[in-house]
Amino acid sequence: GLETLTTALPFMIGWFSSAALLDGYGKVAQGARVPAAAGVAVKVWALGTPLGLVLRGLSKGAVPPTPFIVVSMVATCVLLVGWRSALAALTKDDEPKDAKSQLAARKDKSGNPFEFMQLLFSLTRRW
């Protein structure tokens, strides 16, 4: 319950903020090219997880134990990079070439969480 949330919250803050800084919601991260999407995920992980560890340490008033740091780094790498790579592998990268096909594709397109986050962060950058 609440203990799980207090453990996960610093990592979520670290991941989401680093994704906003490192274009983790951009076209490359959303594309169907697995190596490129995984590369963006690795950059977000490399900044977000240590940031989450620092935030957790500050909230607890102590440096997290070494086993917690190791497990956090490995588990978040596998989960974050793994799901991003899997999603990229399942994503179609077929952009229609002519204007009529592009319009039809736009009408049929449903939004996804990445597009929402990209929109949200682009709006906050404008402020």
Side-chain angles (χ1 to χ4, degrees), residues 1-10 56 60:
L2 185 59
E3 190 173 315
T4 303
L5 179 64
T6 59
T7 300
L9 188 61
R56 186 172 192 281
K60 294 287 186 182

Side-chain angles (χ1 to χ4, degrees), residues 5 12-14 19 33 35 40-41 45 64 79 82 87 90 104 108-109 115 121-122 124:
L5 179 64
M12 291 169 47
I13 292 169
R33 294 184 48 234
V40 172
W45 167 81
L79 293 172
L87 186 60
L90 297 173
D108 294 337
K109 187 175 183 181
E115 290 174 344
F121 284 113
S122 71
T124 56

Side-chain angles (χ1 to χ4, degrees), residues 8 12 22 24 29 36 41 47 49 78 86 107 119 124-125:
M12 291 169 47
L22 298 173
L47 178 63
T49 302
V78 169
K107 286 182 180 179
L119 173 67
T124 56
R125 282 184 196 141

Side-chain angles (χ1 to χ4, degrees), residues 9-38:
L9 188 61
F11 293 99
M12 291 169 47
I13 292 169
W15 293 327
F16 290 130
S17 60
S18 62
L21 291 172
L22 298 173
D23 205 24
Y25 306 111
K27 292 291 181 191
V28 173
Q30 297 176 35
R33 294 184 48 234
V34 175

Side-chain angles (χ1 to χ4, degrees), residues 84-98:
R84 189 58 215 124
S85 299
L87 186 60
L90 297 173
T91 302
K92 289 191 284 184
D93 200 21
D94 301 329
E95 290 287 328
K97 302 298 181 218
D98 64 345

